[in-house]
Amino acid sequence: MRSSLSIFVLLHSALSAWSFSPKLPLTSFDRLHRHGRNLAVHPSSPRSRTRFDQSDDIQSSRVSNRLLSTNDDAVDSTLEVIDNLILKRLVRFANHVPALASLYYFGLISTSSMMGPSVAPIGEATLAGVLTKYVGMTSNAEFSAMFPTLVTPANPIFLVWPIISVLQLLTVSVSALKPGAPVLSQNDLSSLSLANLAATGWLILSSGAEAGLPPPLGCALVLPLVPLLSGYALRNPRYFSSTSPTFGKFVFQVFSSFTTIASFLALAVELQHGGRIPFFLGRPEFSAAAFLSLAAATVMRQRQGIARKFVTFGALGGILWRRVSLALADGFGRTALLGLAKSASFWGTSLITLWAFGRLLDSDDKYGDNL
């Protein structure tokens, strides 16, 4: 009886203690199990919302990146079309504008100088009148008559100035407008523009010459700049490649070769009529000898193109033709024949002209079509 009562008291005490005592702390396994169950059962809890938001942000970021990439591709494609169809051609034409502008000015001045002021555009109300305002009263033919030398070419030779203008216009226009790569590079265009400006300056200076006065010193100083500048493109290594366009070289060869001979002539005029070097003043044979020595060095030079050879031969032939024409004008009598026979410059011009003709017919590769 006592033992039964003791067992009951112990059971009752144990139940009472379990009912009123605080709960024991959970183990790590219990906490992990309950945390996972709470996330599954309570999706609205803060931690659950954090994970769902991160997932949504990742998906939104991927969609946004795809949209931005598609938008960038569309913009790049549109800009590429605009560049190729409009801006590329516009920029290319703009690169040629300075050469065209200098060519227009050079052609205007050369036409005015060749024809004289009687037919030159005049008047302040027109653009041509303003641009030709400083052109003097002396034409190219009159300049040659004022300061004759034994190496002055016949007047038709000076018609090459408008021919050079036409060649430049064709070359620059084709380079600016033709499909594909331009014929002229930026360096070519810049050198051509500078050469045109130098030639224009020489034409303006020569047009201001007056009878009875020495020729302007600027004629002998400015004109050599023209072949130096116009020949820059020919001295550029780009033109030595087999892919270089012959059409692009032609205008530079004509321009530089004629102005080379013209600069030698300007030197002869300065020596004979300028008086700055007294030894040559009034001595046409010595002045002609200086010209012919420089002309011979030009004919001797290798790697000349067909255009340069032809222009050089034409200029020297024009000098020889003028010498013979003057003799014919005197009746080709005994005095004229003796004058030609005793003229060292006449024989020198004849020999160098024949030499230039032989070089023109020479097709040896060592005289290639580079310069």
Side-chain angles (χ1 to χ4, degrees):
M1 185 68 177
R2 286 182 180 178
S3 61
S4 299
L5 182 60
S6 299
I7 293 172
F8 176 79
V9 172
L10 289 174
L11 289 174
H12 183 270
S13 300
L15 290 174
S16 299
W18 180 80
S19 300
F20 295 101
S21 63
K23 297 181 179 179
L24 297 175
L26 297 175
T27 62
S28 298
F29 177 81
D30 292 335
R31 286 197 299 270
L32 181 61
H33 178 69
R34 177 171 294 182
H35 178 69
R37 186 173 56 186
N38 290 337
L39 289 178
V41 177
H42 302 286
S44 60
S45 62
R47 293 183 179 180
S48 177
R49 285 198 304 269
T50 301
R51 292 196 174 188
F52 285 149
D53 291 343
Q54 291 177 352
S55 179
D56 291 341
D57 291 342
I58 293 174
Q59 294 295 330
S60 299
S61 177
R62 290 177 179 176
V63 172
S64 177
N65 289 336
R66 291 177 182 175
L67 292 176
L68 291 175
S69 178
T70 304
N71 179 70
D72 290 344
D73 293 340
V75 172
D76 291 341
S77 300
T78 303
L79 292 176
E80 183 177 0
V81 171
I82 294 175
D83 289 343
N84 292 332
L85 295 181
I86 301 176
L87 296 183
K88 185 177 181 180
R89 298 182 181 182
L90 184 62
V91 171
R92 176 175 168 178
F93 183 79
N95 290 335
H96 291 72
V97 167
L100 291 172
S102 65
L103 172 59
Y104 171 77
Y105 192 40
F106 167 70
L108 188 64
I109 298 299
S110 64
T111 303
S112 300
S113 299
M114 181 187 66
M115 295 182 178
S118 59
V119 294
I122 58 175
E124 295 291 340
T126 62
L127 177 62
V130 173
L131 293 178
T132 58
K133 177 181 179 180
Y134 297 101
V135 177
M137 304 294 291
T138 304
S139 65
N140 287 337
E142 293 171 343
F143 184 87
S144 300
M146 287 181 186
F147 309 105
T149 66
L150 296 178
V151 289
T152 300
N155 288 333
I157 298 298
F158 294 101
L159 293 175
V160 74
W161 284 116
I163 294 176
I164 291 174
S165 299
V166 173
L167 288 176
Q168 286 193 46
L169 178 61
L170 291 176
T171 304
V172 176
S173 299
V174 170
S175 178
L177 301 177
K178 86 174 189 68
V183 175
L184 304 177
S185 66
Q186 189 61 51
N187 287 338
D188 303 336
L189 294 170
S190 299
S191 63
L192 190 62
S193 300
L194 293 174
N196 286 335
L197 294 177
T200 302
W202 174 78
L203 290 173
I204 294 176
L205 289 172
S206 64
S207 67
E210 298 180 7
L213 297 178
L217 179 60
C219 293
L221 298 179
V222 174
L223 190 55
L225 297 177
V226 182
L228 288 175
L229 292 169
S230 59
Y232 174 81
L234 300 176
R235 298 189 298 271
N236 191 325
R238 183 179 76 89
Y239 276 96
F240 296 159
S241 64
S242 59
T243 58
S244 62
T246 304
F247 180 73
K249 292 191 296 184
F250 184 75
V251 64
F252 291 103
Q253 288 182 343
V254 174
F255 197 8
S256 62
S257 58
F258 177 74
T259 52
T260 297
I261 298 297
S263 63
F264 297 161
L265 178 59
L267 176 62
V269 170
E270 171 61 29
L271 293 176
Q272 182 176 338
H273 299 280
R276 281 99 181 178
I277 303 179
F279 174 79
F280 290 95
L281 180 63
R283 296 182 175 182
E285 288 289 341
F286 286 95
S287 301
F291 171 90
L292 292 174
S293 61
L294 295 173
T298 301
V299 175
M300 187 186 304
R301 189 177 184 185
Q302 298 182 1
R303 296 190 304 171
Q304 298 190 66
I306 186 65
R308 180 185 289 274
K309 295 177 182 179
F310 182 80
V311 172
T312 302
F313 167 72
L316 294 173
I319 296 172
L320 190 62
W321 175 260
R322 184 174 181 272
R323 295 291 301 271
V324 175
S325 298
L326 291 176
L328 287 174
D330 292 337
F332 222 100
R334 182 177 179 180
T335 303
L337 289 176
L338 287 176
L340 289 179
K342 293 188 299 182
S343 176
S345 62
F346 174 76
W347 294 111
T349 303
S350 301
L351 292 175
I352 296 176
T353 302
L354 291 176
W355 187 13
F357 181 72
R359 290 297 305 274
L360 180 62
L361 301 179
D362 192 353
S363 59
D364 197 335
D365 290 338
K366 68 180 179 180
Y367 304 131
D369 198 27
N370 291 328
L371 291 177

